[in-house]
Amino acid sequence: MSVTQPVRPPRRRAPRNSLNPDRILDAALTLLDRDGAEAFTMRGLAQQLGVGTMAVYSHFRGKDEISDAVAQRLLDTIELPPGGSEDPESELREVCVGVYRLFTEHPSALELLAGRPLRGDDAIALIDRMLGLLRRAGLGRADAAHAHVALMQYTVGSALWNTRRARALCQEGARERVRARIAALPSDTYPSLVALAPELLCQKSEGTGQFEYGLDGLLRGLLGGTPQV
Amino acid sequence: MSVTQPVRPPRRRAPRNSLNPDRILDAALTLLDRDGAEAFTMRGLAQQLGVGTMAVYSHFRGKDEISDAVAQRLLDTIELPPGGSEDPESELREVCVGVYRLFTEHPSALELLAGRPLRGDDAIALIDRMLGLLRRAGLGRADAAHAHVALMQYTVGSALWNTRRARALCQEGARERVRARIAALPSDTYPSLVALAPELLCQKSEGTGQFEYGLDGLLRGLLGGTPQV
DNA sequence: ACCTGAACACCGTTCAAGT
DNA sequence: ACCTGAACACCGTTCAAGT
């Protein structure tokens, strides 16, 4: 009576050579952007590709190697200003904005790039360019090295802060809850915070405007006191 | 012959009430500092406490609740300057250094605090204090709000950057490998980077010195152009 | 060579049970 | 009430096997 038919033959064997590193990285980036790095899974990646879990291992050594490759690919996509302008400060500003954009458009890029050694040519070129601009802006050798790190730290920190904040505030009613909590604070123990609540909760205080406010301050402070004389 | 003795009776039943939230949080912080947030495990925590995995669940709802509680406890430990000084800029500086110290002494604090809503009194008090100092330093309402966020972003970003960098460089021979890689770069394609290699690899460029360099620059830029007139 | 499922050693957490 | 192990649904990865 009962024919020996497999109970769950859910997926036909994938056609040969339908998989390749590029297709895998495309799918990985899609999932990373959509669900975040902590939800990125080898099993989920394979499912997205319509393939058995282990098929991916024929093209990459493992999850770390895929993460590295996605990180390198993301570094390519930074949009940098043309270069060769006569104003190193504003060119520097645009480079930082480009890096910030990468991290806010691809929040998982932070997790992917933060721990790793940055061994891509694009990363090297970016560092070299920033250092050159800082020297042209008049900084000494040690100052240029310090300033470059400070700019990267601020840029990375802003992206991290804003993506986390955006993720927290996009919950339903989260914004109103924060507002209510601040309104409920005793204004005699926390006078400044209560007084500045409108400014802190202002929409303008999020995103690129806030980032550029601090970036301009940092550039002013690092590049010396005479802005446009 | 064979007595019915359990094969693996590895742990006696823990004495009643030997476990409590404080002991759990102590152990959690120890493990978090020693092995990092990604290696922090409910099973490992229970083992550290000498207790079955599920015993912890009698005191906390789950892993997230423990992480939240550790984060709150860490916020308490920030060492803040006495306050009431006549120089708001240097007091602000010390507050930022205190926050930076917390994050570098407890690298996992970043992971713990980054995502969460910051619903502790200590966090509120910290924000209020920074805002008050920025107002006293002469900033307007909107500027104070923006400057506060910029300072926090820079501080968090610096801590993240430096702890990751420190972790990467503490591998055996990592420092020499980075040095060799930079030395091998063609100095005509990456002239600035190659030229500044000594400064970039300098020991001084790590840790608190680097952080304070950027912090001073940021404060200078944010608080206006007339430093000590 | 490329792709497969089964299996292994993990993870957080639910559950029914012991004391 | 507090603590227990077994079990469930995950995870990355190893392995032997199919084509």
Side-chain angles (χ1 to χ4, degrees):
Chain A
M1 232 359 155
S2 76
V3 201
T4 47
Q5 205 153 23
V7 187
R8 185 176 49 95
R11 186 178 51 253
R12 289 170 190 84
R13 176 165 269 267
R16 214 167 174 85
N17 293 327
S18 64
L19 214 54
N20 59 62
D22 261 339
R23 233 167 70 72
I24 292 175
L25 293 182
D26 283 343
L29 186 52
T30 301
L31 291 179
L32 248 4
D33 282 342
R34 200 189 60 187
D35 304 326
E38 71 288 345
F40 177 58
T41 277
M42 291 300 275
R43 285 168 154 94
L45 175 60
Q47 194 171 25
Q48 170 85 4
L49 290 161
V51 104
T53 307
M54 296 314 299
V56 181
Y57 285 81
S58 301
H59 303 266
F60 291 95
R61 205 181 289 279
K63 198 184 182 188
D64 279 353
E65 199 171 283
I66 294 176
S67 300
D68 275 337
V70 172
Q72 292 307 324
R73 175 184 277 211
L74 279 175
L75 274 178
D76 293 351
T77 71
I78 298 183
E79 287 190 28
L80 294 177
S85 88
E86 73 287 354
D87 181 5
E89 177 167 349
S90 72
E91 197 175 321
L92 206 45
R93 210 189 101 108
E94 285 183 69
V95 172
C96 291
V97 171
V99 175
Y100 177 80
R101 282 239 176 78
L102 169 72
F103 284 130
T104 46
E105 285 166 14
H106 304 280
S108 51
L110 254 174
E111 258 100 338
L112 294 179
L113 288 167
R116 310 172 189 285
L118 271 210
R119 57 180 161 292
D121 286 347
D122 306 284
I124 302 287
L126 186 72
I127 295 171
D128 181 71
R129 179 154 180 196
M130 287 183 68
L131 289 171
L133 288 167
L134 287 164
R135 293 305 310 269
R136 276 178 55 204
L139 264 57
R141 296 168 54 91
D143 281 333
H146 277 122
H148 157 257
V149 175
L151 284 169
M152 290 302 290
Q153 288 173 337
Y154 172 71
T155 302
V156 165
S158 295
L160 178 69
W161 185 281
N162 282 342
T163 55
R164 302 289 172 121
R165 184 186 155 111
R167 196 178 299 184
L169 283 181
C170 78
Q171 318 268 29
E172 190 57 45
R175 176 166 255 109
E176 289 317 310
R177 256 180 288 130
V178 173
R179 198 181 300 276
R181 269 209 70 215
I182 293 187
L185 289 174
S187 68
D188 48 345
T189 28
Y190 308 113
S192 308
L193 203 162
V194 173
L196 293 179
E199 281 80 6
L200 288 167
L201 293 166
C202 170
Q203 307 270 3
K204 280 185 200 162
S205 74
E206 293 154 34
T208 316
Q210 166 67 50
F211 170 68
E212 292 181 351
Y213 181 93
L215 178 61
D216 289 335
L218 186 55
L219 285 170
R220 246 194 330 268
L222 291 175
L223 297 185
T226 54
Q228 52 246 28
V229 177
Chain B
M1 231 8 155
S2 77
V3 202
T4 49
Q5 205 154 22
V7 186
R8 184 175 51 94
R11 186 178 51 252
R12 288 171 190 83
R13 177 164 271 266
R16 215 169 174 83
N17 293 327
S18 65
L19 214 53
N20 59 62
D22 261 338
R23 232 167 71 71
I24 292 175
L25 293 182
D26 284 342
L29 186 52
T30 301
L31 291 180
L32 248 3
D33 283 342
R34 200 189 60 189
D35 304 325
E38 71 287 344
F40 177 59
T41 277
M42 291 299 276
R43 286 167 153 95
L45 176 59
Q47 195 172 24
Q48 171 84 3
L49 289 161
V51 106
T53 307
M54 296 315 298
V56 181
Y57 285 81
S58 302
H59 304 266
F60 290 94
R61 207 182 286 280
K63 199 185 182 187
D64 278 352
E65 200 170 282
I66 295 176
S67 300
D68 275 337
V70 172
Q72 292 307 324
R73 175 184 278 210
L74 279 174
L75 274 178
D76 292 351
T77 70
I78 298 183
E79 286 190 28
L80 294 177
S85 88
E86 72 287 355
D87 181 5
E89 177 167 350
S90 71
E91 197 175 322
L92 205 46
R93 211 189 101 108
E94 286 183 68
V95 172
C96 291
V97 171
V99 175
Y100 177 80
R101 283 241 176 76
L102 169 73
F103 285 129
T104 46
E105 284 166 15
H106 304 280
S108 51
L110 254 175
E111 258 101 337
L112 295 178
L113 288 167
R116 308 172 189 285
L118 271 209
R119 57 180 162 292
D121 285 347
D122 305 284
I124 302 287
L126 186 72
I127 295 170
D128 181 71
R129 179 154 181 195
M130 288 182 67
L131 289 171
L133 287 166
L134 287 164
R135 294 304 310 270
R136 276 177 55 203
L139 264 58
R141 296 168 55 90
D143 281 333
H146 278 121
H148 158 257
V149 175
L151 284 169
M152 289 302 290
Q153 288 172 337
Y154 171 71
T155 302
V156 165
S158 295
L160 178 69
W161 185 281
N162 282 342
T163 55
R164 301 290 173 122
R165 183 185 155 111
R167 197 179 298 185
L169 284 181
C170 78
Q171 319 268 29
E172 190 56 45
R175 174 167 257 107
E176 289 318 309
R177 256 180 288 130
V178 173
R179 196 182 301 276
R181 269 209 70 216
I182 293 186
L185 289 175
S187 67
D188 48 343
T189 29
Y190 309 113
S192 309
L193 203 161
V194 173
L196 293 179
E199 281 79 8
L200 287 167
L201 292 166
C202 170
Q203 306 270 3
K204 280 185 201 162
S205 73
E206 292 154 34
T208 318
Q210 167 66 49
F211 170 68
E212 292 181 351
Y213 181 93
L215 178 62
D216 288 335
L218 185 55
L219 285 169
R220 241 187 343 260
L222 291 175
L223 297 185
T226 54
Q228 51 247 26
V229 177

